[in-house]
Amino acid sequence: MPTNVQKIVLAIGGSSGAIYAKLLMDRLQQMPEQWARVGVVMSGNAKFNWEYELGNRDYEQYPFDFYDKNDFMAPFASGSARYGTMIVCPCSMGLLGRIAAGVSSDLSTRAADVILKERRKLILVLRETPYSLIHINNMKAVTEAGGIICPATPSYYSKPATIEELALTVVDRVLDLAGFDPPTYRWNE
């Protein structure tokens, strides 16, 4: 069981990897008893990449609370709304850098700043590679501030047969880190 039923923020960044965001929202939709609210904010590039990579605009069909990237009136723009976890999936190196520097220039970076200052759980699903020293230092800064860096690095021991199954190895790991209990392959069980 999850550690608690919580309100979560999902920020969908503009790097390639829309499949991770889609499968994360699919999983959350399958587990409604494990969350109270899901607030979603997407960058313009996130919408473009979703449409380009997945060939649809299905992000509009999810039953979550969607907010404009510049909507600083969104509840999770303040710590008083008590959102317990934020997942940035996928997270570009530019978005990582803005979060690491504390630059709150849009709702995604403001929400990340709030989550860190409130000592709540921030999980960044990095999608780009290779890493420069700047990227590594930004990962270090976020980690030292209490965030979790979870690169979108799939695992293979569950013997995934499709791209979706492979991507789910990352998504399910992220949900585990967030305190959820997704229906997933568990080592040696």
Side-chain angles (χ1 to χ4, degrees), residues 84-164:
T85 298
M86 180 175 181
I87 301 168
V88 183
C89 178
C91 183
S92 68
M93 292 301 126
L95 184 50
L96 164 69
R98 289 186 295 280
I99 292 169
V103 176
S104 297
S105 57
D106 62 14
L107 183 55
S108 294
T109 52
R110 170 61 187 166
D113 193 34
V114 166
I115 291 289
L116 288 174
K117 80 178 182 67
E118 298 290 331
R119 305 298 191 263
R120 297 181 184 146
K121 193 173 288 189
L122 174 66
I123 302 166
L124 305 183
V125 184
L126 304 180
R127 225 293 308 140
E128 297 180 47
T129 188
Y131 303 137
S132 73
L133 183 57
I134 294 167
H135 303 150
I136 292 166
N137 285 332
N138 286 337
M139 285 185 254
K140 179 178 183 264
V142 168
T143 301
E144 288 175 340
I148 299 171
I149 303 299
C150 183
T153 305
S155 63
Y156 297 88
Y157 48 77
S158 61
K159 299 182 182 153
T162 66
I163 290 173
E164 289 78 14

Side-chain angles (χ1 to χ4, degrees), residues 161-174:
T162 66
I163 290 173
E164 289 78 14
E165 288 177 3
L166 185 63
L168 274 173
T169 67
V170 171
V171 167
D172 289 344
R173 185 71 176 118
V174 168

